[in-house]
Amino acid sequence: YVDQENFETGLALGQWIIGTLKQVIYDIDEEDADKKSVEIENPADDSPVKTSKVKVNHMSIKSGNSVTSTDGKTGNYAVTNTPMNSIFMTGSEMSADKQVKAKPDDDIYIDGIIKAAAVIFGFGCAGLAIAFGILYTGEVEKNRLLENRRCYIGYVPGPCPVGGDIIESDPKNPSVFDELFPDELNAVANYMSRESGIDLKAPSVALSNQSYIYIIERRSPAKYTLLDYIDGTGDTPLREARVVVNRGDLNPPIIQEYTVGSLPIPTYHRLVSNPTWKSPIGYSKRPTTLYEAGQIDSMLRQTAEVVNDLILSSYDGYSFLRNCTQKCITWHLMPGSGSSGERKLWVWLVRVKEGAALHPLGLQAHIDIADLDPASWRIDAVWYNNRYFTDLNHLSTEYKGGTVSVVELLDHDSIFSTLKRRPGQSFTDKRPPKMFDPDGRRYSVDGHTVEYMGWKFDFGVRSSSGLQVHNIRFNNDRIAYEISVQDMLFILTNPNPALLSTVATLNGFIGQWGFTLIPEVDCPEHATYFDTHHYVGGSAKTHKRSVCVFETTTGGSLRRHYENDHMGGYTFAGGMPNSALVLRTTMSASFSMTFDVIFYQSGSIEVKTTPSGYQDANFYNQAKTNGYGFSLFYDTMGSLWSGFINFKIDLDVSGTSNRHSAIKIVSENNEDPRDPPKQINAQKIQREPRVTEKEAATDITPEAPSYFAFYNNEERSSFGHHRAYRIQTGSVAKQLVQDSDRTAAVAWARQNLAVTRYKEEEWTSGSIYSLMDPFDPVVDFQQFIDDDENIQDKDLVAWLTLGTHHIPSSEDVPIQTSPGNQLSFFIMPFNYFNEDPSMGSLDNIYIKPNNKDPTVSDVERNSGSVSCLARTFAYVFDGMR
């Protein structure tokens, strides 16, 4: 790979030498010109012209001209027009009426030797000049490569430039928004084990009556402390950790949260008491641990021995015994408590196959694991082939007595659930299109701070709730302090008890379940990848390449127009391709979810989620499951599910003193002034300022289209309008959780949009304690609204819920595809700028007819030929085992 500047310097020298030699060769042609002349004619008709065979090697003849000798010798002669822009062009262009001289044959051969020697010498000099250019290190004027690359015979372009700087995060000098690094996570754990006075055990071995750390993550400083620091008026905030400790050693056992600081070397810890949270936090609310999972597995496999014969006969020889090596069975879990304080789970059996969620068996057990002693855990209900039994012994007795209808499962080819390529289905062996940066990347990264086309922001991934973007600025104006994922809710409906109206929240797992991204699937090859770090199972874990950033073209335009002149032509045309920067991460359980935050050059932000992955399926029985779903395979039925995701949007539009208004589109009937008393229907804009938190709780419906604007009442545009940003979403679903007694912990899903006054204690809408106890929430989002505070000229936070419903079909096998299933919302400027801020982008294209020749267009664009090859990247996948 040759440095382009030095290469062009050498190339320019080489061109100068060759140009000089061309003139020398032409001068040789002009010598001795009186020996023989050649006449150029321009016949009046198109008939073939007979010419003599003369030496005109070094002449370039215009098309349509012919050559005739003066001695009358005739013969057919084919004239080849040599391109004038060739590096090897010789001679001079000749007009039709010009007399030129040519040499006799004897002299031509001598001159040919001289010319050949001159050409060889010239290329030698050019080669030396190019070598000199490569080694040349002085400051020279940069020249662009000519667009017509055919001039450079043998030139092979190098790889495209790299572009913007990528500076990796420095764990020894983290930014105020960086999540905790492995050394910090381990330092916090070691400090708590040493200094907290609590006998902490490793989570992988801790008994239920012992204490252990469940999660460690960064505790964000107070917003105004951070803003003062960012704006240069405050000190550097302390770097602290949030530590959740399950205190099984207390009587009664409870869950405690601590703040530990300051990092990197902790010296203090204090118990946290949030005035808006339920306290103390009941021990039954804790998520299940690795130790409990091992105890559940041991209990199930031991007790299932009494129905081993039934399992073998029902499921084609599949076994749930401990020593299984072929045709084995494992299990999945779902919450199963019926009231607060319980700790119960539904366990259903699945075959050990790739895509096990699509291989369920019609055997489920309800287990009670509330007791701190696993020896007291028990199975209090069993479901088999659409019948309930009190326990496994009851099922065994009925089976042996012949009163149980036995399932007969045939083990069909299970390739349907794998992601392996299916043979014989490809339409081509050609690879798909790829993206690349012809001039190098247009964004830069410093740690977790990204800059792109006027945008600047910081990002991180919280272990409990996932992706967070902070301090979002456009053209140096702060637009938002925070955009982050808060919680996810899935409601599943299926006739089997494990999935019957199951309400599952995922706060506590969203970030931890973000694993390695798949190149060419999750992110393009040229993306920039980042690691994330989590405290899992008693130590810090690094999830390699689990976040990516890249610029992409959407394949469409950001804007475009063609102005027709209605006379067969046009007056102008133009627009701009829609290139944007994407920040992306994922989470994966049996299903998958992709999270995108997309930054457009128009000053807009899109937040998008895309579900995929396996469906939680039911063992299919046509007689009993009709009306609940469709069969996905011979013995598998899909489960109807609804999904909801809650986001926190802390907008700071022209400062932290904001107002919120709904700008609605309403219809009204009026008398037609042109033809009274006839009526006309007209649409009008209706502004509805929202003064209190209850007024701002909104169900977004297509029947009542609205813009939800946020603005500083003192800031106006040049035209007198409030400079605002608005939230726009089309991804709303009818909420199905208001009337259920299992949804108190997800009150954020009772409306699409809530707007509340910023409070430090209301930093999250979700809770890691909701999965096991949705009845009596630790964080009750409804209280955020019910205190009904005034929200005019306050620091405001919007809480937005996206929702969807999905009826699985056979095309969701093996996993759900993304088209038609994406959920998104936009944060868009609304009279914030005087015009589209992307109008100054060099990506803009403007076209007008040429004033002198209307058949030619004048084009204004960031032009230039592609002078490099797309870079290739090694295929890297760091999936954990």
Side-chain angles (χ1 to χ4, degrees), residues 340-487:
S340 181
E342 293 184 347
R343 191 169 172 78
K344 296 182 178 181
L345 299 165
W346 274 104
V347 180
W348 81 93
L349 302 187
V350 296
R351 285 165 280 179
V352 178
K353 289 181 178 292
E354 187 173 313
L358 292 180
H359 295 275
L361 301 175
L363 179 59
Q364 300 181 359
H366 192 240
I367 59 176
D368 186 340
I369 61 170
D371 199 287
L372 298 184
D373 182 4
S376 299
W377 293 357
R378 61 189 179 86
I379 296 175
D380 58 16
V382 173
W383 183 82
Y384 172 80
N385 197 16
N386 295 312
R387 271 190 65 188
Y388 285 91
F389 302 87
T390 56
D391 54 31
L392 287 173
N393 288 323
H394 181 198
L395 173 59
S396 175
T397 301
E398 294 281 337
Y399 168 66
K400 292 176 181 179
T403 58
V404 173
S405 177
V406 178
V407 175
E408 292 186 4
L409 169 69
L410 298 178
D411 187 23
H412 299 283
D413 182 4
S414 60
I415 190 175
F416 84 98
S417 65
T418 75
L419 300 186
K420 294 179 181 178
R421 183 184 303 150
R422 307 297 192 258
Q425 293 186 12
S426 178
F427 297 103
T428 180
D429 59 358
K430 296 178 181 178
R431 290 174 292 176
K434 293 181 181 291
M435 292 180 290
F436 75 104
D437 302 315
D439 299 316
R441 68 174 71 91
R442 304 197 295 180
Y443 63 90
S444 61
V445 178
D446 186 354
H448 288 156
T449 303
V450 182
E451 293 190 58
Y452 167 77
M453 298 295 188
W455 289 105
K456 189 173 183 180
F457 60 88
D458 297 85
F459 74 90
V461 176
R462 184 184 294 275
S463 294
S464 57
S465 57
L467 185 63
Q468 297 183 313
V469 188
H470 280 101
N471 198 25
I472 302 167
R473 290 144 287 174
F474 186 67
N475 292 340
N476 295 320
D477 288 346
R478 183 178 295 114
I479 305 300
Y481 174 74
E482 178 182 355
I483 301 174
S484 59
V485 182
Q486 291 294 298
D487 203 353

